[in-house]
């Protein structure tokens, strides 16, 4: 992948996070700065009233939310390019990270679709609106195993790097494993409507969002790795044709 393209796509991760948080703020579901999701204990009438009052903003926020998923694909591609440098011809973790990362965008498509369906016909029975709202939030928080596989693939690829100067520091692998462990908590949100494991609970809300600091960390590490790759390639060109380099100077 072209160096310039990699540098650009590396920023897709943080940009996607900005779009995601902005989308949640637009919908009114997760108003900033409190980041408090609607309670799963809310009645059907309460949820229906919210959708009827904020239907337009919910649909606009849903559009931005889906765009954020598309933007994140660029970050996944840049990450795959650097993992490919680690693996060479093996590429097992490269393909695993690429496939799992792309598949992990599924909840970021399904959740806003469910919001839009619930808001599209506000005259629907409140129970129907509540059901689509449940589908959206359960999908967004529960479908984390795909993201777990992506983060684990990155960590395992880093540990497999036998270079004298690894592409990524080994401690980044351990940070990835911690993130993967925390993301597992999301699957428990269907077991309760109250407490720390509910979809608006302190534990689920905190650990399920570890993907955000992980993405920022990997963006920083990606940019450093790409910069080193650029220097290495420049050095290789100089070794192959030193006359051209001297003429350019």
């Amino acid at each position: 992948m072209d160096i310039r393209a990699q540098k650009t796509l590396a920023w897709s991760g943080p940009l996607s996070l900005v779009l995601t948080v902005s989308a949640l703020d637009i919908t009114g579901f997760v108003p900033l700065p409190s980041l408090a999701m609607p309670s799963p204990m809310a009645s059907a009438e309460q949820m229906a009233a919210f959708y009827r009052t904020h239907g337009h903003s919910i649909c606009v926020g849903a559009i931005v939310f889906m765009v954020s998923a598309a933007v994140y694909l660029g970050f996944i591609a840049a990450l795959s390019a650097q993992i490919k440098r680690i693996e060479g011809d093996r590429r097992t973790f490269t393909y695993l990270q690429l496939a799992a990362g792309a598949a992990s965008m599924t909840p970021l498509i399904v959740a806003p679709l469910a919001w839009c369906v619930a808001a599209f016909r506000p005259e629907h029975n409140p129970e129907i609106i509540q059901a689509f709202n449940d589908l959206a939030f359960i999908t967004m928080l529960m479908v984390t195993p795909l993201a777990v596989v992506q983060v684990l693939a990155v960590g395992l690829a880093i540990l497999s790097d036998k270079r004298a100067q690894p592409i990524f520091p080994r401690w980044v692998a351990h940070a990835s494993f911690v993130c993967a462990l925390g993301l597992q908590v999301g699957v428990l949100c269907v077991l309760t409507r109250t407490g720390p494991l509910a979809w608006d609970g302190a534990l689920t809300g905190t650990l399920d969002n570890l993907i955000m600091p992980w993405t920022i960390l990997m963006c920083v590490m990606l940019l450093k790795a790409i910069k080193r790759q650029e220097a290495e390639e420049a050095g290789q060109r100089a070794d192959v044709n030193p006359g051209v380099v001297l003429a350019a100077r």
Side-chain angles (χ1 to χ4, degrees):
M1 183 183 289
D2 178 69
I3 293 294
R4 183 178 298 177
Q6 286 193 59
K7 289 180 178 179
T8 301
L9 293 179
W11 286 103
S12 299
L15 176 58
S16 176
L17 297 182
V18 171
L19 290 172
T20 299
V21 175
S22 299
L24 292 172
D25 189 39
I26 292 171
T27 61
F29 282 125
V30 188
L32 300 179
S34 63
L35 294 179
M37 292 184 178
S39 172
M41 290 298 292
S43 67
E45 289 73 18
Q46 288 174 320
M47 287 313 308
F50 185 87
Y51 273 88
R52 288 164 184 163
T53 304
H54 301 85
H56 181 74
S57 60
I58 288 173
C59 290
V60 172
I63 293 171
V64 177
F65 203 86
M66 285 190 285
V67 170
S68 73
V71 171
Y72 199 83
L73 293 175
F75 177 75
I76 295 170
L79 195 51
S80 294
Q82 290 302 312
I83 295 176
K84 180 182 175 183
R85 289 182 62 210
I86 295 175
E87 294 196 288
D89 294 333
R90 292 172 295 166
R91 303 182 186 178
T92 303
F93 294 126
T94 303
Y95 294 139
L96 180 60
Q97 191 277 148
L98 182 63
S104 70
M105 295 297 98
T106 302
L108 299 186
I109 298 297
V110 174
L113 282 176
W115 288 335
C116 288
V117 172
F120 189 68
R121 297 189 187 277
E123 69 275 11
H124 268 162
N125 188 294
E127 281 74 20
I128 295 177
I129 295 176
Q130 184 186 45
F132 277 106
N133 178 76
D134 289 348
L135 174 63
F137 280 98
I138 290 175
T139 299
M140 186 165 59
L141 293 176
M142 187 180 181
V143 189
T144 55
L146 295 172
V148 169
V149 172
Q150 178 200 8
V151 175
L152 282 176
V154 172
L156 292 172
I158 293 172
L159 291 183
S160 71
D161 194 347
K162 304 303 181 183
R163 295 176 174 225
Q165 184 179 13
I167 302 297
F168 300 109
R170 290 180 67 86
W171 65 264
V172 177
H174 302 306
S176 297
F177 297 148
V178 171
C179 177
L181 182 62
L183 289 174
Q184 297 279 13
V185 176
V187 300
L188 303 177
C189 71
V190 292
L191 300 180
T192 180
R193 299 180 192 175
T194 60
L197 293 179
W199 78 45
D200 64 338
L203 190 59
T204 300
T206 300
L207 296 181
D208 224 43
N209 287 322
L210 284 177
I211 194 67
M212 292 188 173
W214 181 83
T215 297
I216 295 173
L217 169 65
M218 292 310 304
C219 176
V220 174
M221 294 296 106
L222 264 177
L223 292 172
K224 290 183 178 180
I226 294 168
K227 185 177 181 180
R228 287 198 301 272
Q229 180 185 0
E230 186 177 23
E232 289 175 8
E233 291 180 358
Q236 290 172 359
R237 288 194 297 269
D239 291 339
V240 172
N241 197 346
V244 173
V245 175
L246 291 174
R249 292 178 180 176

